[in-house]
Amino acid sequence: MQLYNKLSAKEREKLLEQAGEERLTLSFYQYAKIGNPHLFRNHLFITWHEQDVLGRIYVAHEGINAQLSVPAKRFIDFKQFLDGIYFLKDVRLNIAIEQDLKSFLKLKVKVRDKIVADGLNDATFDVTNIGTHVDALKFNELIDDPNVVLVDMRNHYESEIGHFKNAITPDVDTFRDSLDIIENNLKDYKEDKKLVMYCTGGIRCEKASAYYKHKGFKNVFQLEGGIIEYARQVENQGLENKFIGKNFVFDHRRGERITDDVISHCHQCGEPCDTHTNCANEACHLLFIQCEKCAVAMENCCSSECIEIIHLPEDEQKRLRQGIPNSNKIFKKGRSEKLKFKK
């Protein structure tokens, strides 16, 4: 019985290329009481490994948060498996706008304290008292209302490449950072303004809306299914698209284009660009925006120091990485003194 990956990302990538079969990138989440997350985790891994499902899944006592790549030919089997789990029956699946064979290269199912790291003490408020869910049509109507405050619940590197028009985009590194900052900045609007929020797929707004209602905001709304579902509804229903740019996603694609607008710039030369990449130096791995020209000139690195490191023998690179669990640059995405044009 296999409970963990045995193939490296490179080995899996080669197998995917050889197979050449269509895959679907999708995501879903569900808050539910899970008595034994470890047992549930193993159940998911065994089944999804057999179905050749790849992705990143977090399981906790409070529910599940999943981002997956599913073989198109196995989608019905995958859906039937979900429907066989009582709290996942007919769960909404956010299907990616842009598909990619290599969006995920491993199956990782991890047990966490929470399915989203929000830093909140759930015992202090009613997490089920969430805001009003709205679809794309109602969302468009709401954000045209001058009595509305529209807030992007994502991080700075996400909103930098795409966001809704006139949205407040907090300059934060993590979701937990944003909660108190937003509350403090909007404290004067608790009674008389409508608070409308959105995120990538909806999960961050679930907890945030309940938190803000607990903090005294009277009229709280959230975009059902997030940007992913909004883009789908806009296209299918012929609605006005009020999102501009790309939607950042947490897989190897790094983003999917919603409109042709390029609203960000290369962090190294300042030219218009909205392509995220990770520094080629494994000890750095900084996430930043880099244009094709700079990618060639900088050898896919964020700095001259990292270029020097990637040309060292592999054994020497490994030695330099020893004793460093994770570079702090990994967690300060897009923030480095080396990036001249980071806003």
Side-chain angles (χ1 to χ4, degrees):
M1 183 185 302
Q2 185 172 331
L3 294 176
Y4 298 94
N5 286 291
K6 292 185 177 179
L7 294 178
S8 68
K10 289 184 179 180
E11 289 171 330
R12 175 66 67 177
E13 183 177 10
K14 188 174 181 179
L15 288 177
L16 291 174
E17 290 175 347
Q18 291 174 345
E21 297 178 346
E22 182 183 0
R23 300 182 70 90
L24 298 174
T25 301
L26 57 88
S27 61
F28 71 86
Y29 68 88
Q30 187 68 279
Y31 282 98
K33 292 183 178 180
I34 299 177
N36 190 331
H38 290 277
L39 185 63
F40 184 56
R41 178 261 171 213
N42 291 345
H43 178 54
L44 293 177
F45 189 95
I46 291 170
T47 302
W48 284 343
H49 175 70
E50 292 175 351
Q51 295 178 347
D52 197 25
V53 173
L54 305 172
R56 185 189 305 111
I57 303 93
Y58 298 139
V59 176
H61 283 292
E62 68 175 4
I64 180 173
N65 180 12
Q67 300 166 7
L68 306 166
S69 171
V70 180
K73 66 181 183 181
R74 302 296 300 272
F75 179 76
I76 294 178
D77 294 337
F78 170 79
K79 184 65 170 64
Q80 288 177 342
F81 171 68
L82 289 184
D83 287 343
I85 301 171
Y86 77 94
F87 60 85
L88 293 180
K89 181 174 175 56
D90 296 326
V91 67
R92 186 191 65 248
L93 301 178
N94 281 334
I95 309 295
I97 302 299
E98 297 178 348
Q99 295 297 333
D100 189 303
L101 184 67
K102 307 172 189 175
S103 58
F104 289 99
L105 298 175
K106 290 185 177 182
L107 175 60
K108 296 182 179 180
V109 188
K110 298 184 177 182
V111 175
R112 292 285 179 87
D113 291 334
K114 291 191 172 188
I115 57 176
V116 175
D118 52 36
L120 298 175
N121 181 356
D122 294 356
T124 62
F125 66 102
D126 183 0
V127 296
T128 66
N129 184 26
I130 60 176
T132 302
H133 287 72
V134 296
D135 60 13
L137 178 61
K138 181 62 177 178
F139 183 82
N140 279 357
E141 294 174 357
L142 273 173
I143 63 177
D144 281 340
D145 185 344
N147 199 43
V148 158
V149 177
L150 178 61
V151 181
D152 191 323
M153 297 305 301
R154 302 173 302 153
N155 305 321
H156 74 92
Y157 55 89
E158 298 174 79
S159 59
E160 184 176 4
I161 62 171
H163 54 76
F164 282 100
K165 300 172 185 176
N166 302 319
I168 295 172
T169 55
D171 186 25
V172 296
D173 293 330
T174 66
F175 175 51
R176 66 165 61 120
D177 291 339
S178 69
L179 293 170
D180 290 337
I181 291 174
I182 292 171
E183 185 207 351
N184 184 62
N185 291 344
L186 302 180
K187 60 186 177 182
D188 294 334
Y189 303 133
K190 290 184 177 182
E191 298 285 342
D192 59 342
K193 293 280 188 179
K194 296 175 184 176
L195 175 60
V196 180
M197 62 184 71
Y198 67 90
C199 59
T200 307
I203 188 170
R204 282 175 275 192
C205 292
E206 288 289 302
K207 192 66 71 68
S209 65
Y211 177 72
Y212 287 134
K213 290 183 73 173
H214 166 69
K215 287 293 185 176
F217 287 88
K218 302 301 182 185
N219 300 292
V220 181
F221 300 84
Q222 60 195 87
L223 179 59
E224 173 77 18
I227 300 165
I228 297 173
E229 181 61 20
Y230 174 88
R232 184 173 306 283
Q233 291 181 17
V234 162
E235 181 177 0
N236 291 343
Q237 300 175 31
L239 305 175
E240 179 184 358
N241 187 354
K242 295 181 180 291
F243 188 91
I244 52 175
K246 289 174 77 173
N247 179 29
F248 184 94
V249 293
F250 293 89
D251 58 55
H252 287 279
R253 295 173 300 152
R254 297 294 186 227
E256 50 184 19
R257 186 160 298 287
I258 307 299
T259 71
D260 292 332
D261 305 274
V262 178
I263 66 172
S264 54
H265 299 83
C266 173
H267 288 166
Q268 293 176 316
C269 72
E271 288 297 308
C273 178
D274 55 12
T275 301
H276 275 101
T277 188
N278 288 101
C279 179
N281 175 15
E282 290 293 333
C284 173
H285 207 61
L286 176 72
L287 179 72
F288 67 107
I289 297 175
Q290 186 179 55
C291 68
E292 293 183 2
K293 183 178 179 181
C294 287
V296 173
M298 297 297 295
E299 300 184 56
N300 300 305
C301 289
C302 70
S303 65
S304 57
E305 290 85 352
C306 285
I307 293 177
E308 292 178 4
I309 291 175
I310 66 171
H311 285 290
L312 293 173
E314 184 62 31
D315 289 344
E316 179 66 11
Q317 292 186 48
K318 289 181 179 180
R319 188 188 67 78
L320 291 174
R321 292 198 296 268
Q322 287 178 356
I324 305 176
N326 281 304
S327 165
N328 61 4
K329 289 184 180 181
I330 294 176
F331 304 104
K332 293 188 177 296
K333 300 179 176 70
R335 297 192 193 277
S336 171
E337 294 178 357
K338 305 295 184 183
L339 300 176
K340 183 179 179 181
F341 290 93
K342 173 68 179 84
K343 69 174 183 178

